[in-house]
Amino acid sequence: MPAPVAFRREVWHGGVMTSDRSVCDLNATALARALAKGELSSRDAVEAHLARIASLDSQLAAFVTVDAEGARRAADICDAAPTRVGPLHGGP
């Protein structure tokens, strides 16, 4: 029988991300909180995820199509919105 695996839960509380941590490492709750508080823009979140895709997808082949420009447009629309629409507003 395999040994139990312990999972580490980390929550980002804003501030400068260090080189070993990324916006991509945030769980949905922490990402939504950072977006809602204005600690992170939707565009920044999308750019971080697009960079992660670009750096790893050649090895993982996890995506058939990546609509980077569409994601950027949607992020810009979310950032410009006067009010948030739902708890995941602005998340990639």
Side-chain angles (χ1 to χ4, degrees), residues 3-4 9 12 19-21 23 29 32-33 37 46 49 52 55 57 60 66 69 71 73 78 82 87:
R9 181 171 182 222
W12 178 57
S19 61
D20 61 337
R21 295 187 66 203
V23 171
T29 302
R33 187 177 299 123
K37 289 181 176 181
V46 164
H49 283 83
R52 175 76 58 94
S55 70
D57 198 47
L60 302 175
V66 175
E69 290 309 310
R73 280 192 303 275
C78 287

Side-chain angles (χ1 to χ4, degrees), residues 36-60:
K37 289 181 176 181
E39 296 169 345
L40 179 68
S41 71
S42 298
R43 181 65 179 252
D44 290 339
V46 164
E47 291 298 339
H49 283 83
L50 289 173
R52 175 76 58 94
I53 291 168
S55 70
L56 296 176
D57 198 47
S58 64
Q59 299 163 354
L60 302 175

Side-chain angles (χ1 to χ4, degrees), residues 1-37:
M1 173 178 253
V5 177
F7 291 96
R8 182 178 67 193
R9 181 171 182 222
E10 295 181 18
V11 178
W12 178 57
H13 296 286
V16 177
M17 300 290 282
T18 61
S19 61
D20 61 337
R21 295 187 66 203
S22 166
V23 171
C24 301
D25 297 326
L26 298 176
N27 62 37
T29 302
L31 178 61
R33 187 177 299 123
L35 289 166
K37 289 181 176 181

